[in-house]
Amino acid sequence: QICLSLVKLLFYLAHSPLGSIVLLDFQPRQFVMVDGNLKVTDMDDASTEELSCKEDNDCTLDFPTKSFPLKCSVVGRCKGINEKKNLFNAYRYFFTYLLPHSAPPALRPLLSDILNATGDLRYGINETLRAFEKVLHLYKSGLYLQKRPLLLKDYISLKGFRTAEGEDYKCWPSYSHLGCLLSIHSAEEAAAICNSQSQCQSFIVTQQRTWTGRPLASFQSSWTDLIPDTNAVVYIKRSASSGERL
């Protein structure tokens, strides 16, 4: 969410009515999340000036660990230097820390491609935004889910119930530090996640939604202490419930 919002912001800066705008003091502290969107808190160090040049050798974009040769345009400006400077700063301050984590395994190669392409500046801001929107579409639609055996049949569902809240086993990347709370596309995906975790004996699908509209599911190591909740459905492994009375 943070990276996508940042890319949308940089897309606007690259195509603003004032021309391509560069953020000269590009630091994480210069940004804040407002209603799920990343915003710049200080525009004092923004500029529309692009480096002047006479030849391509005048257009090297230097960073502490990398340098990139750019082209000198016919009007004597380093072509795309503002856009590329913003994009590489996004890569080194945000993408490298956020993109490799928390995505479903099937989407990680696509995010890795974005990371590598922006780190080498092979992508401009237009290509980067398209790549992010493709990943978002796959994530929201569930198209990233690979065909697999149907596992939900191995669970008993109880509508209108959930288990009592309490600290349980933890997983990564959980929305709660007290247990294992993950976003899912469907109960079928939740069953696959539960089967992949040795501690998991049940999961609860709630009406809570993430910023993409995906429901949240709580994965638990037991299914006792059921309490009524009209907005939840608890799924219990048949193997865990065998010999027990529901």
Side-chain angles (χ1 to χ4, degrees):
Q1 182 181 13
I2 293 172
C3 292
L4 174 62
S5 188
L6 176 59
V7 168
K8 289 180 177 179
L9 173 61
L10 298 187
F11 179 86
Y12 173 78
L13 294 179
H15 302 285
S16 83
L18 299 176
S20 183
I21 299 174
V22 63
L23 301 176
L24 299 175
D25 186 19
F26 198 115
Q27 299 284 340
R29 65 173 179 268
Q30 300 283 22
F31 299 89
V32 64
M33 290 292 284
V34 179
D35 297 328
N37 295 306
L38 205 68
K39 296 183 181 293
V40 183
T41 60
D42 185 3
M43 292 293 289
D44 289 346
D45 294 310
S47 174
T48 58
E49 291 295 320
E50 289 193 310
L51 186 66
S52 59
C53 57
K54 292 183 179 179
E55 57 184 26
D56 290 349
N57 289 337
D58 298 328
C59 292
T60 301
L61 182 57
D62 289 315
F63 292 95
T65 58
K66 278 190 176 183
S67 295
F68 300 95
L70 304 180
K71 297 291 185 181
C72 183
S73 70
V74 293
V75 295
R77 299 288 179 184
C78 293
K79 190 174 181 181
I81 192 168
N82 288 352
E83 173 188 329
K84 293 180 183 298
K85 188 170 185 179
N86 283 342
L87 190 55
F88 190 79
N89 278 328
Y91 159 80
R92 66 182 182 139
Y93 287 120
F94 287 88
F95 297 173
T96 53
Y97 298 104
L98 300 176
L99 285 187
H101 312 291
S102 77
L107 291 178
R108 288 174 192 166
L110 297 178
L111 294 177
S112 180
D113 288 344
I114 294 174
L115 192 65
N116 293 332
T118 53
D120 295 334
L121 286 184
R122 288 184 283 109
Y123 279 2
I125 192 61
N126 295 356
E127 295 87 353
T128 303
L129 180 57
R130 283 197 297 268
F132 267 102
E133 288 179 336
K134 176 183 177 181
V135 174
L136 179 63
H137 172 68
L138 294 173
Y139 185 60
K140 291 174 69 174
S141 65
L143 291 173
Y144 68 91
L145 294 169
Q146 300 172 347
K147 289 185 178 180
R148 63 182 72 183
L150 298 179
L151 302 173
L152 199 59
K153 66 182 186 309
D154 297 328
Y155 289 77
I156 296 169
S157 65
L158 296 174
K159 294 182 180 180
F161 289 93
R162 63 176 173 83
T163 56
E165 293 183 5
E167 192 166 341
D168 207 320
Y169 78 90
K170 298 173 177 61
C171 66
W172 176 261
S174 176
Y175 282 81
S176 169
H177 67 282
L178 296 176
C180 185
L181 185 66
L182 303 174
S183 77
I184 57 169
H185 177 259
S186 63
E188 187 64 52
E189 183 183 15
I193 294 172
C194 188
N195 276 26
S196 70
Q197 298 173 345
S198 59
Q199 307 99 314
C200 186
Q201 296 298 316
S202 66
F203 62 90
I204 305 156
V205 179
T206 70
Q207 295 297 312
Q208 290 178 276
R209 294 288 190 271
T210 69
W211 66 281
T212 60
R214 288 162 56 98
L216 290 175
S218 176
F219 299 85
Q220 301 183 338
S221 58
S222 67
W223 55 270
T224 57
D225 300 325
L226 294 179
I227 57 177
D229 186 339
T230 57
N231 295 318
V233 182
V234 61
Y235 294 84
I236 304 165
K237 280 185 177 178
R238 293 183 183 276
S239 57
S241 64
S242 61
E244 301 285 348
R245 295 183 63 187
L246 295 179

